[in-house]
Amino acid sequence: MTQDKTDKKDDFDLQEFLPYLLNRAAEESSLEFQQVYKDRYGMLRTEWRVLFHLGNYGEMTAKDIGERAKIHKTKVSRAVSKLEQRRYLTRTRSLSDRRVEELTLTTTGHAVYRDLRKVAEQYDAKLAGLFSQDESDLLRKMLWRLAHMS
Amino acid sequence: MTQDKTDKKDDFDLQEFLPYLLNRAAEESSLEFQQVYKDRYGMLRTEWRVLFHLGNYGEMTAKDIGERAKIHKTKVSRAVSKLEQRRYLTRTRSLSDRRVEELTLTTTGHAVYRDLRKVAEQYDAKLAGLFSQDESDLLRKMLWRLAHMS
DNA sequence: GCTTGTTAGTTACAAAATCAACTATTACTC
DNA sequence: GAGTAATAGTTGATTTTGTAACTAACAAGC
């Protein structure tokens, strides 16, 4: 009665469902690193991502970040405010278009970025270490593909 | 000035960072399916997961689900309440331990499960179709491994 | 140059997630 | 078997996210 016979093909298990697996793997793999930027700098994930974008790509606008990382503009806006409060970045109105704000990391912000980046690098190596070089290369390629489907 | 020379190894790109890639892929790959259970049944992700666990594994307790899916008990509790309100499941106090509730899908709940499961199956096939059979098999294996690190 | 439309970013309100404290029940220990 | 600890699940307060409406600036059409 609990599991009736109408389900012929019982070969489809939840544990195999890609979106589920992806979410579980994403959550699990984020946990440890999350602890670092949270405990060490009191940052939220979106804040960390914005910081990392600025550190990685240099001066950007909120819109650029939102597009590149697919983060909604309200989230970016709030993250930028918080990072500004903590003096990790500064905003300067663009002269050519005064709606736009150019965001730049401060010296402090850049130091935080470098510190977290080092941790990220090590942590990434640790994760990749679960697999062979070829495998982790392939994994990245596949994930990139999934992330850029639409 | 924007990107100074102190960063020797600039080979570590944010786009390569596994937790970032995983999160992006997870979000992207969940979107389309999310629309279905949201639009069609007004369900939230946790609710869908609880429903799917019950459909997939039969009778379970809230604790079982929480452990297996790594969902916090408050989230499970609220999801169960909502599913009960919508008459997708029923609770019965365990006779051996009256703290415990056995959760079972109703006929309606099971119908919803079967419908969504069919969609999930098709969607999974679509995602897997981005890769070769070997690749997607490997992908699942790697994701499972990442999801079960700790 | 004025109306209309679009864009960058913010703010306000509603929905959901997180965290801590709570109830009720069972298990452990002496 | 009384007292303490542990467990299943719920509830309430706080934080974070999501959605919509908003401001300010620019762009286009006429």
Side-chain angles (χ1 to χ4, degrees):
Chain A
M1 189 63 87
T2 50
Q3 196 83 316
D4 66 45
K5 275 77 182 277
T6 52
D7 298 324
K8 282 275 168 73
K9 300 194 301 171
D10 250 320
D11 55 340
F12 183 68
D13 184 8
L14 176 55
Q15 309 286 334
E16 306 259 307
F17 188 38
L18 275 172
Y20 180 73
L21 271 172
L22 282 161
N23 271 290
R24 290 286 316 271
E27 273 170 46
E28 190 63 35
S29 77
S30 297
L31 264 180
E32 197 177 321
F33 182 64
Q34 196 164 43
Q35 277 323 100
V36 180
Y37 60 69
K38 198 179 162 187
D39 293 352
R40 210 178 280 185
Y41 301 105
M43 278 166 59
L44 250 32
R45 188 191 304 196
T46 310
E47 292 158 30
W48 137 256
R49 281 198 190 172
V50 168
L51 182 92
F52 216 66
H53 270 79
L54 289 173
N56 218 148
Y57 304 118
E59 205 173 61
M60 292 179 89
T61 72
K63 202 211 166 194
D64 294 339
I65 297 172
E67 268 170 11
R68 174 133 13 189
K70 283 215 178 148
I71 308 174
H72 195 268
K73 58 180 183 173
T74 61
K75 263 171 107 176
V76 176
S77 173
R78 292 194 259 246
V80 167
S81 298
K82 248 193 178 169
L83 292 172
E84 191 191 28
Q85 274 175 34
R86 303 212 175 126
R87 316 258 183 259
Y88 288 174
L89 63 77
T90 54
R91 331 189 194 203
T92 48
R93 286 248 163 251
S94 163
L95 294 174
S96 55
D97 183 343
R98 280 177 313 174
R99 290 171 301 185
V100 173
E101 296 180 333
E102 299 292 342
L103 306 171
T104 326
L105 290 187
T106 60
T107 313
T108 315
H110 206 256
V112 173
Y113 161 70
R114 254 173 294 144
D115 178 42
L116 287 176
R117 177 185 149 141
K118 204 181 300 164
V119 178
E121 236 165 321
Q122 286 166 356
Y123 184 54
D124 190 79
K126 178 181 159 190
L127 290 179
L130 291 170
F131 314 107
S132 75
Q133 183 69 50
D134 285 351
E135 282 173 339
S136 52
D137 285 351
L138 180 60
L139 177 62
R140 279 185 231 269
K141 231 172 276 173
M142 295 172 94
L143 291 175
W144 192 91
R145 184 104 177 264
L146 285 165
H148 294 84
M149 277 192 310
S150 61
Chain B
M1 188 63 85
T2 50
Q3 195 84 315
D4 67 43
K5 276 75 182 280
T6 51
D7 297 325
K8 281 275 167 72
K9 300 195 302 171
D10 249 322
D11 56 337
F12 183 68
D13 184 6
L14 174 56
Q15 309 285 335
E16 306 261 308
F17 188 39
L18 274 172
Y20 180 73
L21 270 172
L22 282 160
N23 272 290
R24 290 287 314 271
E27 273 169 47
E28 190 63 35
S29 77
S30 297
L31 264 180
E32 198 177 321
F33 183 62
Q34 195 165 45
Q35 277 322 99
V36 179
Y37 59 71
K38 198 179 161 190
D39 293 352
R40 210 177 281 185
Y41 300 106
M43 279 167 58
L44 251 31
R45 188 191 309 202
T46 310
E47 291 158 33
W48 138 255
R49 282 199 190 172
V50 168
L51 182 92
F52 217 68
H53 270 79
L54 290 172
N56 218 148
Y57 304 118
E59 204 174 62
M60 294 178 87
T61 71
K63 203 210 167 194
D64 294 338
I65 296 171
E67 268 170 11
R68 183 159 327 216
K70 284 219 176 141
I71 307 175
H72 195 268
K73 58 180 183 173
T74 60
K75 262 169 107 177
V76 177
S77 172
R78 283 171 176 136
V80 168
S81 297
K82 249 195 177 170
L83 291 173
E84 193 192 26
Q85 274 176 34
R86 303 214 173 124
R87 315 255 183 262
Y88 288 175
L89 62 78
T90 54
R91 331 187 194 203
T92 48
R93 286 249 164 249
S94 161
L95 293 173
S96 55
D97 183 344
R98 280 178 312 175
R99 290 170 299 186
V100 174
E101 297 179 332
E102 299 291 344
L103 306 172
T104 326
L105 290 187
T106 60
T107 313
T108 314
H110 205 257
V112 173
Y113 161 71
R114 253 174 294 144
D115 178 41
L116 286 176
R117 177 186 150 141
K118 203 181 301 166
V119 178
E121 235 165 319
Q122 285 165 357
Y123 185 53
D124 191 78
K126 179 182 159 189
L127 290 179
L130 291 170
F131 315 107
S132 76
Q133 183 69 50
D134 285 353
E135 283 174 338
S136 54
D137 285 351
L138 180 61
L139 177 61
R140 279 184 232 270
K141 232 172 274 172
M142 295 174 95
L143 291 175
W144 192 91
R145 185 104 177 263
L146 285 165
H148 294 83
M149 279 192 308
S150 64

